[in-house]
Amino acid sequence: MFRKILIANRGEIACRVAHSARRLGVETVAVYSDADAQAKHVAACDEAVRLGPAAARESYLVGASILRAAQATGAEAIHPGYGFLSENAEFAAACEKAGVVFIGPPAKSIHAMGSKSAAKTLMQSAGVPLVPGYHGDDQDPALLASAAQAIGFPVLIKASAGGGGKGMRIVRNASEFAQSLSSCKREALASFGDDKVLVEKYLQRPRHIEIQIFADSHGNCVYLFERDCSVQRRHQKVLEEAPAPGMTEQRRSSMGAAAVAAARAVAYVGAGTVEFIVDHDGTFYFMEMNTRLQVEHPVTEMITGFDLVEWQLRIACGEALPCRQEDLKFEGHALEARLYAENPDRGFLPSTGTLRRLHLPAASEFVVHDGARRASVRIDSGVREGDTISPYYDPMIAKLIVWGEDRATALARMHAALAGVQIIGVSNNIEFLGRVVASSAFATADLDTGLIERHHDELLPKHGVPEPQVIALAVAAQVLNERSRRGSDPWDSIEAFRLHLPASRRFEFEDGGIEVFAQLDYQPGGKLRLTVGEHGAELAIAAGPEASINILWGEERVAGDVVLEAEALHVFHRARYRILTVIDRLQHTADADARAGGLTAPMPGKIVAINAQAGTRVARGAALLVMEAMKMEH
């Protein structure tokens, strides 16, 4: 085993690799940019080396700097994680030339699969089924448009060197093709340094199923079953699970054999994922091969019980695979939800800011029937409370992974785990994930890559009036806060005492432009009565640990957490999150007209295209300008 490795990445995957390395007694070296000097992954490693400025192209993408850091610290090997240089054949070759082990496949294997178009040609010769499309080198826009016409709309334009939804567009008719092609090429060049694209037939309602493979340097290759990654937004995965619902043993065997054939075709070594697009009739087509560990690898670990990072390290050391294909089996069902700093109500626009509150459910494990220990809830995160989500990198906050004896149990655990997440400081997708998991389509495994779009109104409902229970919790939080500020002087009390008259107070809040109010009546004997809308009943309040509050409102027990910040109350109740602002009628309101005529970007970014000039007549919905931020064009 290696004595010391360098982890050429950041965030949760760097922390994940460091965790396995520590368990194996391997020392770790972190690398960081100026934006990550105090990051969690830096603290998770034994040593750390600065790479450069915040921008990835000046730090995490500079292979020469990473190699120098490895040599200076005496690291014998480099683990690339995923993203950045993990699928860069030139970097893998440079490591080999410098005598540093690259914990991944050989450079020639990465090169063979690095171009989606070249990989498809190779897969065709290996007998792996392909989606109809154009995968050639000629990138003349007129030729690509002609190819799209021949294939038949809708088509999918994809960056040849890409992944993660970058440089990818669905084109539904010929009039959209030129603009979509230009955008894809810009995004591909910015993300991967290569603007080459391919054009494929876009399948209606397909599933996205991938096979985890492992190969060693002794000629052995196995597949560790499949993952269903069909739930996506903007061509990026949101929820993943293993095994794939409805998968038959025959189809699993066929897809596994095709994945192994793909790996053998490029003399593969290490961890890899062969991704397939699966039509509604079960026909599957090769889509691409990711020559690295995937973001969603934990669900495979949960059902197999293997540590895939440990497998990577052992194979990179020259060891043989620990299992033969016939020895492999899985148990139960696992789900993974990606917690992102983004706003689902605004097209999943990424969000930046400081994580003023980050409460994640506690990891847990239990003993299964064979006596082995298995995690039921697992958290993989690269940030802590107080950290900043910057515009420079992917806006992932954490991965929430659960395991259950069957899919129904795993779903129930995911419901409970999502309800335990509390995030303040950035927009996030927690409520959205909860709605997806609770939807009938997901619960019944009616899965395909268009699930979110097809159920848009259910999964992304318009912002409505807060539930009465949310208002009740907000009122209770204010009452508790006032009580905690009382002194010994009776005049310090701000509860409404009146002579000969019943005392009452009016609480007014604003939530997303909606004003709501409640009335609290003080009754003899210190009793309280709360009225919200048409619901009025006696109210009893009890404070719990930290921000938790329990109330008895009539016959209903309501529990939640309320965090007070200045004039805002952050209310968490039943996996829902609302921000209620206290309305002060005496407070001066700024004149909105003073801000008219401007446009404020929702995040820091760079304008990469302006599609209209002063005086241009435009139609509603037309793209006026394009901003690049967080690796995506908006």
Side-chain angles (χ1 to χ4, degrees):
M1 181 51 67
F2 301 114
R3 182 184 60 83
K4 181 188 289 188
I5 65 171
L6 181 142
I7 305 170
N9 217 296
R10 63 175 301 282
E12 59 88 14
I13 185 55
C15 295
R16 164 73 189 88
V17 174
H19 174 79
S20 287
R22 186 181 305 110
R23 185 175 59 77
L24 295 171
V26 178
E27 295 179 29
T28 53
V29 179
V31 291
Y32 63 91
S33 70
D34 289 344
D36 282 339
Q38 304 300 319
K40 182 178 178 180
H41 78 273
V42 174
C45 293
D46 300 297
E47 301 175 54
V49 178
R50 176 186 178 272
L51 291 177
R57 63 180 176 275
E58 299 178 66
S59 51
Y60 296 106
L61 289 173
V62 183
S65 297
I66 292 172
L67 262 176
R68 283 196 297 271
Q71 292 168 326
T73 56
E76 304 154 85
I78 293 176
H79 194 300
Y82 40 68
F84 295 140
L85 296 173
S86 62
E87 296 181 280
N88 187 301
E90 289 73 22
F91 179 65
C95 289
E96 184 178 351
K97 184 177 179 181
V100 177
V101 176
F102 180 78
I103 303 175
K108 61 182 180 181
S109 300
I110 299 175
H111 180 75
M113 287 296 187
S115 165
K116 287 185 174 63
S117 54
K120 287 178 183 291
T121 301
L122 187 62
M123 292 302 99
Q124 192 170 27
S125 64
V128 181
L130 302 179
V131 177
Y134 173 78
H135 313 122
D137 293 327
D138 191 336
Q139 294 288 293
D140 179 66
L143 175 67
L144 294 172
S146 176
Q149 286 279 12
I151 295 165
F153 291 97
V155 299
L156 189 65
I157 304 175
K158 292 199 295 187
S160 183
K166 313 291 193 301
M168 185 182 295
R169 298 289 186 278
I170 300 170
V171 185
R172 301 193 180 278
N173 55 64
S175 64
E176 301 175 359
F177 190 84
Q179 183 176 339
S180 296
L181 178 63
S182 298
S183 182
C184 276
K185 282 184 168 290
R186 279 196 308 269
E187 203 168 272
L189 190 63
S191 296
F192 315 112
D194 184 351
D195 70 351
K196 185 178 178 182
V197 299
L198 52 86
V199 183
E200 290 183 338
K201 179 67 179 174
Y202 180 69
L203 300 180
Q204 303 292 330
R205 295 195 63 175
R207 288 174 67 177
H208 184 142
I209 296 178
E210 60 190 29
I211 305 291
Q212 175 72 63
I213 63 101
F214 259 92
D216 61 27
S217 56
H218 303 278
N220 305 306
C221 186
V222 298
Y223 65 90
L224 278 75
F225 314 108
E226 78 283 349
R227 300 183 286 256
D228 193 307
C229 308
S230 299
V231 183
Q232 303 178 6
R233 50 82 177 120
R234 297 175 61 162
H235 309 294
Q236 291 182 302
K237 300 162 188 173
V238 176
L239 284 162
E240 302 98 357
E241 58 184 304
M247 176 67 77
T248 65
E249 284 299 329
Q250 181 179 359
R251 189 178 304 153
R252 176 177 290 124
S253 178
S254 297
M255 293 182 74
V260 169
R264 291 193 184 280
V266 293
Y268 201 80
V269 175
T273 304
V274 183
E275 304 201 6
F276 294 96
I277 200 82
V278 183
D279 213 344
H280 58 85
D281 63 357
T283 306
F284 61 90
Y285 304 96
F286 173 84
M287 186 165 56
E288 63 184 346
M289 182 175 185
N290 290 299
T291 53
R292 54 172 168 80
L293 201 63
Q294 291 279 84
V295 177
E296 57 273 18
H297 75 273
V299 292
T300 297
E301 293 184 323
M302 295 285 263
I303 65 168
T304 63
F306 295 121
D307 181 334
L308 300 191
V309 173
E310 178 181 347
W311 277 37
Q312 284 187 297
L313 295 176
R314 293 192 180 281
I315 288 171
C317 282
E319 294 185 25
L321 285 168
C323 298
R324 297 173 299 177
Q325 188 66 58
E326 56 267 29
D327 299 326
L328 292 170
K329 63 179 181 178
F330 66 86
E331 183 177 7
H333 201 94
L335 296 167
E336 175 181 288
R338 303 188 188 192
L339 313 187
Y340 279 109
E342 63 183 13
N343 190 338
D345 296 330
R346 301 186 64 187
F348 299 97
L349 199 67
S351 175
T352 60
T354 300
L355 294 165
R356 302 195 302 275
R357 181 176 178 84
L358 178 61
H359 182 278
L360 299 171
S364 62
E365 64 177 17
F366 60 96
V367 179
V368 294
H369 69 272
D370 59 2
R373 301 195 70 83
R374 187 183 296 275
S376 58
V377 177
R378 167 177 162 180
I379 306 293
D380 284 12
S381 179
V383 294
R384 302 155 297 191
E385 189 169 280
D387 286 352
T388 297
I389 303 296
S390 78
Y392 300 106
Y393 315 115
D394 188 90
M396 182 185 286
I397 297 171
K399 297 185 310 195
L400 177 57
I401 311 106
V402 300
W403 180 90
E405 293 84 352
D406 49 38
R407 191 172 188 267
T409 305
L411 275 171
R413 287 199 175 123
M414 181 60 80
H415 275 294
L418 286 170
V421 178
Q422 297 176 12
I423 299 171
I424 297 176
V426 294
S427 299
N428 60 79
N429 64 341
I430 303 304
E431 277 195 69
F432 167 75
L433 290 170
R435 288 193 291 267
V436 174
V437 172
S439 69
S440 60
F442 191 78
T444 59
D446 181 17
L447 307 175
D448 65 81
T449 56
L451 183 148
I452 292 174
E453 290 183 11
R454 195 168 63 257
H455 297 277
H456 180 275
D457 293 346
E458 175 190 355
L459 302 179
L460 295 163
K462 292 182 179 179
H463 194 80
V465 178
E467 296 175 319
Q469 294 85 349
V470 170
I471 307 303
L473 286 169
V475 170
Q478 286 200 294
V479 170
L480 288 172
N481 183 52
E482 292 165 359
R483 288 176 179 173
S484 69
R485 301 205 310 263
R486 287 183 190 169
S488 57
D489 191 324
W491 296 107
D492 284 337
S493 172
I494 53 178
E495 291 189 354
F497 171 76
R498 299 288 187 276
L499 281 174
H500 311 302
L501 292 171
S504 66
R505 295 175 61 190
R506 182 180 172 92
F507 292 82
E508 299 185 44
F509 306 100
E510 186 268 335
D511 175 20
I514 300 172
E515 292 189 5
V516 294
F517 69 91
Q519 180 170 308
L520 188 65
D521 297 308
Y522 294 80
Q523 300 178 324
K527 292 183 178 180
L528 302 174
R529 179 179 177 82
L530 178 67
T531 302
V532 179
E534 298 179 354
H535 182 38
E538 283 196 0
L539 177 70
I541 306 172
E546 295 188 38
S548 67
I549 296 174
N550 289 279
I551 63 176
L552 180 61
W553 190 19
E555 299 299 320
E556 182 179 7
R557 293 189 178 275
V558 182
D561 290 78
V562 184
V563 179
L564 282 70
E565 289 188 339
E567 298 302 309
L569 293 91
H570 302 266
V571 184
F572 299 91
H573 171 60
R574 293 181 179 174
R576 295 183 179 89
Y577 169 49
R578 305 299 284 257
I579 304 175
L580 302 182
T581 303
V582 178
I583 296 175
D584 184 350
R585 296 297 177 185
L586 300 179
Q587 184 177 354
H588 174 69
T589 302
D591 184 5
D593 291 339
R595 298 191 299 273
L599 176 65
T600 302
M603 72 183 81
K606 179 170 65 177
I607 303 302
V608 295
I610 298 176
N611 300 332
Q613 303 300 323
T616 303
R617 181 175 294 278
V618 297
R620 180 182 295 275
L624 302 184
L625 56 86
V626 180
M627 183 176 77
E628 179 189 298
M630 288 183 166
K631 301 183 181 179
M632 299 288 284
E633 286 194 357
H634 308 282

